Amino acid sequence: MRRERQAKGIAAAKHRGVYRGRPPNIDMDGIRALLSKGLSPTEIAREMGSPRGTVYKAKVSM
């Protein structure tokens, strides 16, 4: 019964547009711009305050 109520609540929240999860706080376009300028992933990670893995993900998606 609890699961049913929870599913109904989640469906209602999605319908209202408030159930979206945490918004991203990393600027992928900014990372891509710095990559295109030739900066190393380590330098970009330090400058942007993000993990190097995120920089590599942005690099792969370019």
Side-chain angles (χ1 to χ4, degrees):
M1 195 142 95
R2 191 187 90 186
R3 268 191 164 176
E4 292 172 7
R5 287 189 206 150
Q6 183 179 9
K8 286 180 184 178
I10 289 172
K14 284 183 180 181
H15 182 69
R16 289 192 315 263
V18 295
Y19 192 82
R20 290 186 222 131
R22 185 176 182 160
N25 61 350
I26 297 173
D27 181 20
M28 294 298 269
D29 293 329
I31 291 174
R32 288 186 192 108
L34 293 174
L35 280 168
S36 66
K37 288 183 181 179
L39 270 74
S40 73
T42 303
E43 292 171 335
I44 294 170
R46 285 186 187 141
E47 185 176 325
M48 300 289 286
S50 64
R52 276 187 304 165
T54 303
V55 177
Y56 286 115
K57 285 180 190 176
K59 188 175 183 179
V60 168
S61 69
M62 284 179 70

